[in-house]
Amino acid sequence: MSDELKFEIHQKVVYPSQGVGKITDIVQRKFKDEMLTYYVIFLEVSDMTVMVPVKRVDELGIRAIVSAEEAQHAIDMMGEAVEPVTSDWKLRYQMNLDLLKKGTVSDIATIVRCLYHRSKVKELPILERKLYDSAKKLLEDEISFALDKPVQEVEALLLAKLEPLGLIRDTKHAALSDDFDDEDEEFIGDDEDEDIVDVEEDEDGDSDDGDEE
């Protein structure tokens, strides 16, 4: 890990699973007898400011906003054909959660496309719906900044690409739907109050948050 500065003050960045933020300051603080350099990031979606050690940005997947060309590619991805996904929602959830942690715009677009089409087959379990909402919000915000378009316009662009495929009901999707059983529904009910961050903490043993002081 390096202390080399990758971002500048006022630069927009993506903090995977947290949202789009802006570097408001770069400061030095003492931590365990060591002077560390921190990015101060304001996350508009949660109205929260976090301090992230410069040397941890790669580990946490924090990156700059994509170019307009990459943003347009993410929109176009919404219109691509979707392979049937596993009917085991817990496995599907973990696969998409791993993509969210990686946090590239293509990964986030893949989550949105996958879960949108799955929701047309069967209503998403609560945790998956929260994951879908988080990924969709992150994707819309980043594309909005990259293309300098209002979020509402970006949302409409994504839906226009998704909806034609979203109306298709092929036999493969129907077969997958039949495999979703009552036992899965009971599991969902136990986790109604959990959010995405809580799940990450449970599975990894600690939080992904970069705050250190």
Side-chain angles (χ1 to χ4, degrees):
M1 294 182 289
S2 171
D3 285 323
E4 180 182 353
L5 294 177
K6 299 179 66 173
F7 310 121
E8 302 174 350
I9 295 177
H10 304 310
Q11 184 173 354
K12 295 287 197 312
V13 296
V14 175
Y15 192 156
S17 80
Q18 299 295 329
V20 174
K22 183 172 75 171
I23 307 290
T24 59
D25 204 356
I26 300 172
V27 300
Q28 287 194 321
R29 294 286 177 86
K30 193 171 185 178
F31 180 74
K32 294 183 178 179
D33 297 324
E34 180 183 4
M35 289 299 296
L36 297 179
T37 305
Y38 291 83
Y39 289 117
V40 181
I41 306 174
F42 175 68
L43 302 166
E44 185 175 350
V45 66
S46 56
D47 193 25
M48 178 175 66
T49 297
V50 297
M51 292 179 61
V52 178
V54 168
K55 65 182 182 181
R56 291 197 63 200
V57 294
D58 290 335
E59 173 190 343
L60 294 171
I62 298 173
R63 59 174 176 78
I65 294 288
V66 295
S67 66
E69 182 179 359
E70 291 173 295
Q72 184 59 54
H73 175 67
I75 293 174
D76 293 339
M77 282 181 65
M78 297 297 101
E80 295 177 1
V82 181
E83 290 295 322
V85 293
T86 176
S87 61
D88 183 340
W89 81 266
K90 287 168 278 189
L91 176 59
R92 190 172 64 237
Y93 176 83
Q94 187 58 54
M95 291 169 58
N96 283 320
L97 188 60
D98 290 342
L99 286 177
L100 186 65
K101 290 177 181 178
K102 286 172 61 180
T104 70
V105 70
S106 294
D107 290 330
I108 298 167
T110 297
I111 296 169
V112 173
R113 184 181 61 189
C114 169
L115 294 184
Y116 175 84
H117 292 299
R118 180 63 195 181
S119 72
K120 295 298 182 178
V121 176
K122 181 80 174 182
E123 183 178 355
L124 296 176
I126 292 170
L127 291 181
E128 268 200 314
R129 189 170 69 245
K130 289 182 178 180
L131 179 59
Y132 169 75
D133 289 342
S134 295
K136 180 172 176 287
K137 174 63 176 170
L138 183 56
L139 184 65
E140 289 170 352
D141 285 351
E142 180 167 11
I143 292 175
S144 172
F145 283 116
L147 298 182
D148 193 23
K149 293 180 181 292
V151 172
Q152 294 84 354
E153 183 178 341
V154 171
E155 184 178 13
L157 289 172
L158 294 174
L159 184 60
K161 292 285 187 178
L162 285 166
E163 191 60 26
L165 282 176
L167 297 175
I168 295 175
R169 301 290 187 274
D170 61 36
T171 54
K172 290 182 180 180
H173 283 112
L176 286 173
S177 177
D178 292 340
D179 292 336
F180 196 98
D181 58 28
D182 293 338
E183 186 176 335
D184 289 334
E185 296 284 359
E186 292 175 7
F187 183 91
I188 297 165
D190 294 338
D191 289 320
E192 285 186 1
D193 295 327
E194 290 190 75
D195 58 27
I196 292 168
V197 176
D198 288 335
V199 171
E200 288 179 284
E201 290 175 355
D202 290 342
E203 292 172 350
D204 298 337
D206 56 9
S207 172
D208 279 341
D209 287 348
D211 302 1
E212 287 189 39
E213 234 180 297

